[in-house]
Amino acid sequence: MAKKTQKSDLRKDPAYQELVASLTKVIDEAYVKGVDFNREHFLNCYACGCVEGMTEKGSRTIYLKDGTVAALDVDFRVIDIKRRDYVLKRGGIRWRTTYLYVCGICGAEQKVCHVDEFSKQEPH
Ligand SMILES: [Zn+2]
């Protein structure tokens, strides 16, 4: 992957810095509410078909392909998380989170990329 010099220039842009500050604030507030930003996405396994989901009690759990709940001590093991953000021309930031993880059910190692967007209301 080639590094773009354009990106470092964007980071010096006050509008960009303002967006980052806004985004940081949103994340901080979410932290206070107890959102796990270490793992903000649900993962799933492409090998055995299990998926992560939220229980009625609001905790994270894994459902097997047939819909049954996996044992409580089973979890996806995240090896690496990479995050890249991009400034959108129409305002806002799009960020890509790439997870490298091992399925707690079948042990398959896989990589998945989630894309999120943070749009800011027009300030003017
Ligand atoms: Zn699996």
Side-chain angles (χ1 to χ4, degrees), residues 45-50 76 103-108 110:
C45 177
Y46 293 99
C48 72
C50 67
F76 286 98
C103 173
I105 306 291
C106 72
Q110 53 214 292

Side-chain angles (χ1 to χ4, degrees), residues 11-115:
R11 288 185 184 281
K12 288 171 190 164
D13 188 327
Y16 174 85
Q17 288 171 0
E18 193 191 313
L19 278 169
V20 171
S22 305
L23 182 58
T24 306
K25 191 166 173 277
V26 169
I27 291 171
D28 285 347
E29 283 169 1
Y31 250 127
V32 172
K33 288 171 191 161
V35 176
D36 179 11
F37 265 89
N38 198 29
R39 280 274 300 283
E40 70 210 80
H41 301 98
F42 286 129
L43 300 175
N44 66 294
C45 177
Y46 293 99
C48 72
C50 67
V51 292
E52 263 186 329
M54 202 66 96
T55 64
E56 284 177 12
K57 287 175 183 173
S59 60
R60 199 198 305 264
T61 192
I62 297 176
Y63 295 95
L64 302 179
K65 197 179 181 180
D66 64 5
T68 57
V69 179
L72 286 173
D73 57 344
V74 174
D75 197 6
F76 286 98
R77 192 159 58 85
V78 178
I79 300 164
D80 192 30
I81 301 175
K82 283 195 174 68
R83 212 158 173 170
R84 276 168 183 267
D85 48 272
Y86 306 87
V87 177
L88 303 175
K89 279 181 182 168
R90 57 181 163 80
I93 295 176
R94 174 179 293 155
W95 71 97
R96 238 169 49 183
T97 317
T98 307
Y99 293 91
L100 177 65
Y101 58 98
V102 174
C103 173
I105 306 291
C106 72
E109 187 178 306
Q110 53 214 292
K111 193 187 265 187
V112 76
C113 183
H114 288 274
V115 179

